[in-house]
Amino acid sequence: DGGITQSPKYLFRKEGQNVTLSCEQNLNHDAMYWYRQDPGQGLRLIYYSQIVNDFQKGDIAEGYSVSREKKESFPLTVTSSQKNPTAFYLCASSMGAPSNQPQHFGDGTRLSIL
Amino acid sequence: AQSVAQPEDQVNVAEGNPLTVKCTYSVSGNPYLFWYVQYPNRGLQFLLKYITGDNLVKGSYGFEAEFNKSQTSFHLKKPSALVSDSALYFCAVRARGSYIPTFGRGTSLIVHP
């Protein structure tokens, strides 16, 4: 079945450590997105990518980095400069050229600080 | 700029009663509008969308939504609520030509047996 796979489901970060969250899709979607979800705040956009080898900052990109070397993959690195990383992180994808189709979401990674 | 307001943090309804989850939006031009549902520790699942045409949109699991252009609203409705409908519901708007939707803060729906 086509879909988006996020791993790991739970992740713990130590002080001064970078951690990378994986997101893989087999939907043949051009566009991919990373969101951060905190209780009562909805979804906030971290980064998005419209096409391979290209990505743009979202509303809260500071302390995060991404790469898009393959169409299927859009990993997110939470760097040590992100002082409040504890949150639920969601990856999504959608068809390319702005379309009327909805986003597809993975089941998230919950990141906590040790 | 585009924005979405979900004025209720929580909606409580008895099983079997009709439910409404409210959403209003602001966007330049004609919008694409979406409703998603999220169960605990899961991603968002698409319920329904409004693109154009009929103002009453039918979606998954018996949900429907009514697009009202004059009131810039897109309220989610269901004639008879189930306990299993209890979840977090998100409304989203996207301007035509944009890659980026804007999500509301979410409304927690609690259906009591």
Side-chain angles (χ1 to χ4, degrees):
Chain A
D1 286 340
I4 297 182
T5 301
Q6 290 188 242
S7 62
K9 193 164 181 65
Y10 299 96
L11 188 58
F12 298 92
R13 196 192 86 172
K14 295 179 181 178
E15 211 50 56
Q17 185 182 42
N18 293 350
V19 292
T20 298
L21 285 60
S22 171
C23 177
E24 303 278 332
Q25 55 100 357
N26 61 4
L27 297 165
N28 200 33
H29 284 169
D30 285 313
M32 297 188 75
Y33 312 76
W34 273 106
Y35 292 94
R36 171 177 171 143
Q37 185 177 17
D38 296 280
Q41 294 196 42
L43 275 64
R44 293 185 289 169
L45 183 65
I46 305 173
Y47 270 96
Y48 67 100
S49 168
Q50 299 174 9
I51 199 167
V52 175
N53 293 321
D54 185 55
F55 50 83
Q56 286 79 41
K57 293 181 179 180
D59 300 320
I60 55 165
E62 187 172 349
Y64 301 96
S65 66
V66 293
S67 63
R68 186 85 188 275
E69 297 176 0
K70 298 188 300 181
K71 187 175 186 177
E72 302 80 17
S73 179
F74 191 41
L76 173 74
T77 296
V78 184
T79 72
S80 57
S81 65
Q82 172 50 249
K83 297 306 178 190
N84 183 23
T86 298
F88 190 51
Y89 290 87
L90 288 164
C91 180
S93 70
S94 67
M95 294 177 68
S99 76
N100 60 25
Q101 297 304 306
Q103 292 172 303
H104 293 247
F105 285 82
D107 274 340
T109 293
R110 190 166 296 279
L111 176 62
S112 303
I113 302 176
L114 280 178
Chain B
Q2 56 192 34
S3 65
V4 173
Q6 293 183 241
E8 301 153 317
D9 290 335
Q10 185 172 302
V11 170
N12 291 277
V13 64
E15 188 174 31
N17 283 1
L19 69 88
T20 298
V21 182
K22 295 179 180 177
C23 171
T24 59
Y25 67 90
S26 174
V27 69
S28 297
N30 294 319
Y32 294 142
L33 292 158
F34 304 87
W35 275 103
Y36 294 86
V37 61
Q38 185 182 33
Y39 297 98
N41 295 312
R42 300 295 301 274
L44 276 65
Q45 297 176 33
F46 169 70
L47 279 179
L48 51 79
K49 67 181 179 183
Y50 172 81
I51 304 302
T52 189
D54 196 349
N55 289 343
L56 185 63
V57 177
K58 294 190 183 297
S60 306
Y61 313 118
F63 284 93
E64 57 190 27
E66 188 168 10
F67 172 67
N68 188 316
K69 188 172 184 177
S70 62
Q71 296 185 8
T72 61
S73 67
F74 189 54
H75 301 330
L76 181 70
K77 301 182 180 186
K78 188 174 182 182
S80 178
L82 300 172
V83 172
S84 58
D85 292 331
S86 299
L88 190 57
Y89 289 81
F90 288 95
C91 180
V93 66
R94 194 174 82 224
R96 298 186 184 221
S98 170
Y99 278 87
I100 308 301
T102 297
F103 288 84
R105 288 178 167 234
T107 298
S108 177
L109 173 66
I110 300 174
V111 181
H112 302 276

